[in-house]
Amino acid sequence: MADKAMALCGAPFCLHGRDEETGLDCIGLAQQCLIAGRFECDVPNGYSIRGGSERSISEFMAETGFERFPPETLLREGDIVLVRPSPVQWHFLIRAGDGFVHAHAGLGKVVHCPGEAPWPIVSIFRPVEE
């Protein structure tokens, strides 16, 4: 999934975007990575850029075949990381290389940010190991 995330760097940002040509938001980015990892998922759409809950996000990720880990867990390549940019906003990052890939609304595109997560990590999601 990390390779797919890196390959999507430069794709335009678009709220509710699900296509790398016309634009992706953080959920669209995660969806593209999930599809590349052969995960079946029907991601939500029509949501506000603000709102939602950690519980509903965790439930969706569990239904998709992911296990939730606490924020202090050592990160692995390809982890889907839930962060909290503000008290009313959630955001997904994909662990890739020496940093994270995410759909950056301010820059208007998908970017790789080296180093630590730019916002507090709330949860880490990984495929359930069988």
Side-chain angles (χ1 to χ4, degrees), residues 107-130:
L107 294 177
K109 62 184 175 180
V110 175
V111 298
H112 177 260
C113 296
E116 299 295 317
W119 303 285
I121 295 175
V122 176
S123 299
I124 299 167
F125 296 98
R126 288 187 189 135
V128 173
E129 294 182 13
E130 297 181 23

Side-chain angles (χ1 to χ4, degrees), residues 3-57:
D3 289 342
K4 179 63 175 179
M6 292 296 282
L8 290 169
C9 286
F13 175 87
C14 178
L15 183 61
H16 305 133
R18 300 293 182 264
D19 179 87
E20 65 186 278
E21 297 299 320
T22 58
L24 299 167
D25 65 5
C26 70
I27 294 175
L29 171 64
Q31 179 189 35
Q32 291 299 311
C33 293
L34 290 169
I35 291 168
R38 301 182 203 272
F39 287 92
E40 294 293 325
C41 64
D42 185 20
V43 299
N45 209 336
Y47 46 82
S48 169
I49 196 164
R50 292 178 174 77
S53 71
E54 180 184 3
R55 180 178 175 183
S56 64
I57 294 167

Side-chain angles (χ1 to χ4, degrees), residues 74-97:
L74 187 62
L75 290 164
R76 293 184 192 166
E77 187 90 354
D79 282 347
I80 297 178
V81 180
L82 180 65
V83 297
R84 195 81 193 247
S86 79
V88 296
Q89 188 176 2
W90 302 97
H91 189 55
F92 279 133
L93 311 174
I94 310 298
R95 180 67 173 177

